[in-house]
Amino acid sequence: MPYATPVKPTAGPLGEPIRGAATLADIARAAGVSASTVSKVLNAKGDVAAATRERVEAVLREYGYRRRGPRTAPLLDLVFHELQSAWSLEVIRGAEKVAQEEGLSLVLSQSEGRSTPGQSWLDGVLARRPTGVLLVLSKLEAAQCRQLTTRGIPFAVIDPDGELDVDVPTVGATNWQGGLTATRHLIQLGHRRIGVVAGPSRMLCSRARLDGYRAALETAGLRFDPKLVVAGEFHHDEGHRLGKELLRSEDRPTAVVAGNDLQALGVYEAARELGLRIPQDLSVVGFDDLPVARWVGPPLTTIRQPLAEMAAAALHMVIGLARGDERTRAATRIELATELVVRASTAPPSKA
Amino acid sequence: MPYATPVKPTAGPLGEPIRGAATLADIARAAGVSASTVSKVLNAKGDVAAATRERVEAVLREYGYRRRGPRTAPLLDLVFHELQSAWSLEVIRGAEKVAQEEGLSLVLSQSEGRSTPGQSWLDGVLARRPTGVLLVLSKLEAAQCRQLTTRGIPFAVIDPDGELDVDVPTVGATNWQGGLTATRHLIQLGHRRIGVVAGPSRMLCSRARLDGYRAALETAGLRFDPKLVVAGEFHHDEGHRLGKELLRSEDRPTAVVAGNDLQALGVYEAARELGLRIPQDLSVVGFDDLPVARWVGPPLTTIRQPLAEMAAAALHMVIGLARGDERTRAATRIELATELVVRASTAPPSKA
DNA sequence: CTGAAAGCGCTTACAG
DNA sequence: CTGAAAGCGCTTACAG
């Protein structure tokens, strides 16, 4: 063997070109093609035979090729489905902290309502070559996953929106447990008719929370009444609209479990409009524990979801994958615990 | 002249190496030194005589030198003093929209409580060579300004924290006018004892708002009473603490102008604890018009500050400067209008 | 569709 | 402290 075998990068500070890591010339040699051809594959330029392209891509993947070039500060892409409410801010904050510790800079983008970021976003990612990608409430198509993998860019998803391939690393919270705990809290206070303003059913987290609610009712021997369940987007206005629907009905619930804190505030408003006092006439439980939950009147009882910690865990996962850390590769599904925070929006139902 | 004169970049898509823009070799020629020496100046490596360094830096500035290298997707740095509350999110959102339109990616960082970002941040910026830098409630030291200017990285400041050099581009809101409008609204409702929970006095925007309050009192022929003025950080807890101070006093005000919406929510809580109803017993006006202002009970009357638009304006300013646009260079101080949004937290004082 | 060759823009080890 | 020379990693125009 006339050449030193280039190594697969497995450690070393992020962003620094790794000593001994494969160069374009190494890849060319390993794939049995010229440097020109590898360059064309990498830049999606010029004609390359499909078979050649695949062989080169396989070698790129195998060696974990990353362009050297003048060292640019290492980046990490954070992609939101939607930059919405303090929810996003908590995630940003958690990610920013870890990024700073690890010497990474956060690049922020949003997929603008679409659950999958578009090709222009992916082109941008490939051009800026981040250390990794973190998706929040978004998902990637199979082809997009493959492109990232080919370039050696690892990724993880926070709170996946819909189903995902088994091998996509994810971080979430114990949503089912949270729905269960919220409902049990109300049952223990003596509530029997408990309504739900749920999040959109396309989202896994909403479905899990709703199932937790059902489980709590069932184990308490209470009947599940579909008339007490309404669902909509995770916004204040939806909470308001749906809450009003629920509270105007004949046999209105004495308590409501909301899909998140924003919906809970919408329920607050619906209750105000209908002259119902919280918690005397209506108990409300939220989900998330955003800062605003402490600030409203009355302060909101809610299920705390450790958003900053979830972002931090996901970032550590991506960084571990970028380093080729074996222990990270083994544990790419994480659920962090939720927790009931009792404040002043829940109380026993009035005897009326 | 044996060489074509390299041009100063003045137009063309951001991020693309500009046709005809100066290369390192051009700079060396213009400065009468070798390429090696220019490289050393740029990378702060090796010994370079102070005089040589200055000459080279002058030429770098003059030509607006930007490293070519493999084209990386163009970046824009967004630096927060503190990633706090929905306030930051509005700014991020406004910036993100413009960035997307202009094909820029946002890099997010925070200076962690210090009003000036540290050297490690600056090193990062120099390494990733963004198209520009946007500072939010932060400022740069003179030396940091010079380093950015030398590398041809323009910057602007949103809502500057403290005084700034005259030639630093800034975007703000009409804070004085806002304070005036908020106070006049209360005066017109019949209030005579109007308290203020002001923001920190080190911040220009707080001082301007407070001065607007004084001006409104004076033009209405009302006496300014320093006992009715308290000041603290722009947080809920400070609003709560200071509001309580103000409302527990002997001759309590019938209305409070808060420094921002978060402080106003703190005043809400103080009022609840003291058994004062809003707006019957106490009127409250906020500042910012964050989404939460619509969600609380009662919905908050506030001065709307167009945060997203401010961010957008600042971004356009930076982009204009990066392009060398003359019209941008002429107008680097912008104040966007604030606006009174009347909701349900203000009413005439009770006759008691 | 592929690759040898030239070249680009920058960096670096080293001689002076 | 400075620069000529070699070199790095990649891209590109072009011949086959």
Side-chain angles (χ1 to χ4, degrees):
Chain A
M1 278 259 226
Y3 302 110
T5 315
V7 299
K8 213 163 164 258
T10 50
L14 297 164
E16 300 281 308
I18 297 139
R19 272 156 52 80
T23 66
L24 183 138
D26 295 325
I27 301 297
R29 203 144 47 220
V33 296
S34 71
S36 321
T37 301
V38 177
S39 177
K40 281 172 201 157
V41 170
L42 280 172
N43 299 295
K45 263 185 201 163
D47 299 317
V48 180
T52 311
R53 152 161 285 124
E54 268 162 38
R55 188 151 38 91
V56 172
E57 286 188 335
V59 177
L60 285 168
R61 253 192 308 272
E62 186 194 340
Y63 283 84
Y65 172 79
R66 321 204 84 215
R67 178 205 208 127
R68 299 261 199 115
R71 78 175 56 74
T72 143
L75 303 173
L76 192 127
D77 258 75
L78 183 59
V79 189
F80 283 86
H81 167 77
E82 195 181 18
L83 271 173
Q84 177 245 59
S85 92
W87 196 97
S88 314
L89 201 64
E90 293 297 313
V91 173
I92 292 175
R93 229 195 235 130
E96 217 279 334
K97 184 157 182 295
V98 176
Q100 192 141 27
E101 288 165 7
E102 299 283 342
L104 292 167
S105 299
L106 280 191
V107 176
L108 202 73
S109 48
Q110 62 176 326
S111 52
E112 298 220 295
R114 290 169 305 177
S115 66
T116 308
Q119 187 58 39
S120 70
W121 170 79
L122 192 61
D123 290 342
V125 169
L126 296 181
R128 67 181 159 266
R129 291 155 216 272
T131 298
V133 173
L134 204 54
L135 296 133
V136 183
L137 281 172
S138 300
K139 60 185 169 189
L140 289 177
E141 279 159 21
Q144 296 177 319
C145 292
R146 229 179 309 114
Q147 284 201 63
L148 288 180
T149 308
T150 301
R151 307 306 173 91
I153 301 175
F155 55 93
V157 182
I158 293 178
D159 236 354
D161 175 359
E163 313 292 347
L164 279 171
D165 287 351
V166 205
D167 55 343
V168 172
T170 62
V171 175
T174 56
N175 289 301
W176 183 87
Q177 184 68 46
L180 182 90
T181 308
T183 312
R184 283 206 170 146
H185 167 62
L186 293 168
I187 293 171
Q188 275 160 16
L189 286 170
H191 292 275
R192 290 300 170 263
R193 282 191 68 71
I194 301 172
V196 178
V197 174
S201 60
R202 77 188 126 77
M203 289 172 71
L204 280 183
C205 62
S206 314
R207 294 213 300 265
R209 291 172 200 176
L210 187 56
D211 285 348
Y213 160 84
R214 290 183 76 140
L217 291 188
E218 276 163 24
T219 54
L222 296 174
R223 197 175 62 84
F224 172 80
D225 180 354
K227 282 205 302 269
L228 288 178
V229 179
V230 288
E233 296 301 313
F234 274 140
H235 297 150
H236 171 270
D237 293 354
E238 284 285 272
H240 178 213
R241 184 176 67 80
L242 297 168
K244 219 154 170 180
E245 210 171 280
L246 215 50
L247 296 176
R248 258 203 306 237
S249 66
E250 197 70 350
D251 188 14
R252 69 164 183 82
T254 60
V256 171
V257 178
N260 71 352
D261 289 351
L262 261 47
Q263 289 186 331
L265 295 194
V267 174
Y268 269 46
E269 192 173 341
R272 273 198 304 274
E273 289 174 2
L274 297 170
L276 299 172
R277 291 161 307 161
I278 298 171
Q280 295 90 332
D281 305 319
L282 181 73
S283 286
V284 179
V285 183
F287 204 109
D288 280 344
D289 196 23
L290 300 182
V292 70
R294 293 193 297 116
W295 302 340
V296 288
L300 179 67
T301 295
T302 191
I303 300 291
R304 179 173 140 73
Q305 177 173 211
L307 291 166
E309 287 88 338
M310 284 161 64
L315 206 50
H316 278 130
M317 207 172 210
V318 169
I319 291 169
L321 291 171
R323 291 218 177 95
D325 187 55
E326 277 313 313
R327 281 186 26 217
T328 305
R329 194 157 308 210
T332 54
R333 293 255 154 165
I334 295 180
E335 281 204 343
L336 298 191
T338 52
E339 180 194 2
L340 174 69
V341 181
V342 178
R343 296 207 179 91
S345 67
T346 47
S350 58
K351 298 291 164 190
Chain B
M1 279 259 224
Y3 302 110
T5 316
V7 300
K8 220 169 157 248
T10 51
L14 296 163
E16 301 281 308
I18 297 141
R19 272 158 52 81
T23 65
L24 183 136
D26 294 324
I27 301 295
R29 204 144 44 220
V33 296
S34 71
S36 320
T37 302
V38 178
S39 177
K40 281 172 200 156
V41 170
L42 280 171
N43 299 295
K45 263 184 200 161
D47 298 317
V48 180
T52 311
R53 152 162 284 124
E54 269 162 38
R55 188 149 40 90
V56 172
E57 286 188 335
V59 177
L60 286 168
R61 253 193 308 272
E62 186 193 339
Y63 283 85
Y65 173 79
R66 322 204 83 218
R67 179 206 206 127
R68 300 260 199 116
R71 81 172 54 71
T72 143
L75 303 174
L76 192 127
D77 258 74
L78 182 60
V79 190
F80 284 86
H81 168 78
E82 194 182 18
L83 271 173
Q84 175 246 63
S85 92
W87 196 97
S88 315
L89 199 64
E90 293 297 313
V91 173
I92 291 175
R93 231 195 232 130
E96 216 280 333
K97 184 157 181 294
V98 177
Q100 191 142 25
E101 288 164 8
E102 300 283 342
L104 293 166
S105 299
L106 279 190
V107 177
L108 202 74
S109 48
Q110 63 176 326
S111 52
E112 299 219 294
R114 289 170 306 178
S115 66
T116 308
Q119 186 59 36
S120 69
W121 171 80
L122 192 61
D123 290 342
V125 169
L126 297 181
R128 66 182 160 266
R129 291 156 215 270
T131 297
V133 173
L134 204 54
L135 296 134
V136 183
L137 281 172
S138 299
K139 60 184 170 189
L140 290 177
E141 278 158 22
Q144 296 177 319
C145 291
R146 227 178 311 113
Q147 284 200 64
L148 289 180
T149 308
T150 302
R151 307 305 174 92
I153 301 174
F155 56 93
V157 181
I158 293 179
D159 238 355
D161 177 356
E163 315 292 345
L164 278 170
D165 287 351
V166 205
D167 55 343
V168 173
T170 62
V171 174
T174 55
N175 288 301
W176 182 87
Q177 185 66 47
L180 182 90
T181 307
T183 313
R184 282 207 171 146
H185 168 63
L186 293 169
I187 293 171
Q188 275 159 18
L189 286 171
H191 292 275
R192 291 300 170 262
R193 281 193 68 73
I194 302 171
V196 178
V197 174
S201 59
R202 79 188 123 76
M203 289 171 73
L204 280 184
C205 62
S206 315
R207 294 213 301 262
R209 289 171 200 177
L210 187 56
D211 286 348
Y213 159 85
R214 288 183 77 142
L217 291 188
E218 276 163 25
T219 56
L222 295 174
R223 198 174 62 82
F224 173 80
D225 180 356
K227 282 204 300 269
L228 289 178
V229 179
V230 288
E233 296 300 313
F234 274 140
H235 297 150
H236 171 270
D237 293 353
E238 283 285 272
H240 179 213
R241 185 176 67 78
L242 297 168
K244 218 155 172 179
E245 210 170 281
L246 214 50
L247 296 175
R248 259 203 306 237
S249 66
E250 197 70 350
D251 186 14
R252 70 165 182 82
T254 60
V256 171
V257 178
N260 71 351
D261 289 351
L262 262 46
Q263 287 185 333
L265 295 193
V267 174
Y268 270 45
E269 191 173 341
R272 273 200 302 275
E273 289 174 2
L274 297 170
L276 299 172
R277 292 161 307 160
I278 298 172
Q280 296 91 331
D281 305 321
L282 181 74
S283 287
V284 179
V285 184
F287 205 109
D288 282 344
D289 195 23
L290 300 182
V292 71
R294 295 192 296 115
W295 301 340
V296 290
L300 178 67
T301 295
T302 191
I303 301 291
R304 179 174 140 71
Q305 178 173 211
L307 291 166
E309 288 88 338
M310 286 161 63
L315 206 50
H316 279 130
M317 207 168 196
V318 169
I319 291 169
L321 291 171
R323 290 217 179 97
D325 187 54
E326 277 312 314
R327 283 186 24 217
T328 304
R329 194 157 308 209
T332 53
R333 293 254 154 165
I334 295 181
E335 280 205 343
L336 297 190
T338 52
E339 179 193 4
L340 175 69
V341 180
V342 178
R343 296 206 179 89
S345 66
T346 48
S350 57
K351 297 293 162 187

